[in-house]
Amino acid sequence: MASTADIKNGVVLNIDGQLWSVVEFQHVKPGKGGAFVRTKLKNVVSGKVVDKTYNAGAKVDIENVDRRDFTYLYSDGDGFVFMDTTDYDQVTVPAAVVGDAKNFMLENQAVTIALNNGNPLYVDLPASVVLEITYTEPGLQGDRSSGGTKPATVETGYEIQVPLFLETGTKVKVDTRSGEYLGRVND
């Protein structure tokens, strides 16, 4: 067991069997009364953010979370197979853990996976990825970049909104956090 003095940004705490990552913390010593530590915690699995206050010196349960680089290999139906870039071991991560990241993953893409006691917690993608549009309706004459948007399907099967002038076969940069179109990529 560790104390509140060991709390830092990025540390993962085990609270009632759930893992919470410390987003920010502040050690407060008021003029009256005892010191305390105010924290903002993010649930590692669900992403829910809560505020929690601890008395100074209180015991907290710090978990060891290992973030390692992996390469996405393929999907085997009920999970996704990744290869550790350091020792070439293969790990199958359940689809529930991968979540929305599957919409932006191509084979041989580098990702970071957070592991706790060998169990994958979540998959971290780069901030943006380059994907090719596999299908979109053709743009009409006179469509401009400042106009509206239209749906387009990218090579992972995910549908994004793109400007009217883009065509099938165009490579685009997509934000992995929101799924938004960021721009066209020229080869």
Side-chain angles (χ1 to χ4, degrees):
M1 290 294 270
S3 73
T4 55
D6 298 317
I7 292 178
K8 298 181 194 67
N9 287 347
V11 167
V12 177
L13 304 177
N14 186 342
I15 302 170
D16 299 330
Q18 293 188 351
L19 299 180
W20 298 82
S21 176
V22 177
V23 177
E24 60 185 57
F25 73 100
Q26 181 180 21
H27 190 85
V28 180
K29 190 168 189 325
K32 228 178 183 182
F36 59 91
V37 177
R38 186 179 295 135
T39 62
K40 183 178 280 190
L41 304 172
K42 180 178 180 183
N43 189 304
V44 171
V45 177
S46 69
K48 179 180 175 184
V49 177
V50 297
D51 294 323
K52 189 160 176 67
T53 304
Y54 293 96
N55 290 329
K59 299 293 182 200
V60 291
D61 191 6
I62 294 181
E63 284 288 329
N64 182 25
V65 173
D66 187 20
R67 292 175 178 84
R68 296 200 310 226
D69 293 330
F70 284 80
T71 301
Y72 171 57
L73 297 178
Y74 59 90
S75 171
D76 67 356
D78 57 337
F80 294 83
V81 179
F82 296 87
M83 179 182 66
D84 192 330
T85 55
T86 52
D87 58 11
Y88 306 109
D89 281 346
Q90 291 187 5
V91 170
T92 301
V93 179
V97 174
V98 173
D100 289 339
K102 71 179 181 295
N103 298 326
F104 309 106
M105 289 189 320
L106 293 174
E107 291 180 1
N108 299 320
Q109 182 174 352
V111 299
T112 303
I113 298 179
L115 301 164
N116 173 252
N117 300 327
N119 297 325
L121 300 174
Y122 59 87
V123 175
D124 228 356
L125 293 174
S128 65
V129 292
V130 175
L131 299 171
E132 186 175 328
I133 296 176
T134 55
Y135 177 76
T136 187
E137 295 290 331
L140 300 172
Q141 182 65 26
D143 286 343
R144 300 285 178 256
S145 62
S146 61
T149 59
K150 63 181 177 179
T153 304
V154 293
E155 56 192 307
T156 60
Y158 187 65
E159 191 173 277
I160 62 171
Q161 292 293 319
V162 298
L164 295 170
F165 64 87
L166 290 180
E167 300 172 357
T168 300
T170 306
K171 291 194 179 215
V172 294
K173 187 182 269 191
V174 181
D175 187 328
T176 57
R177 297 170 300 242
S178 64
E180 290 180 19
Y181 163 83
L182 296 175
R184 185 169 35 175
V185 176
N186 297 326
D187 290 333

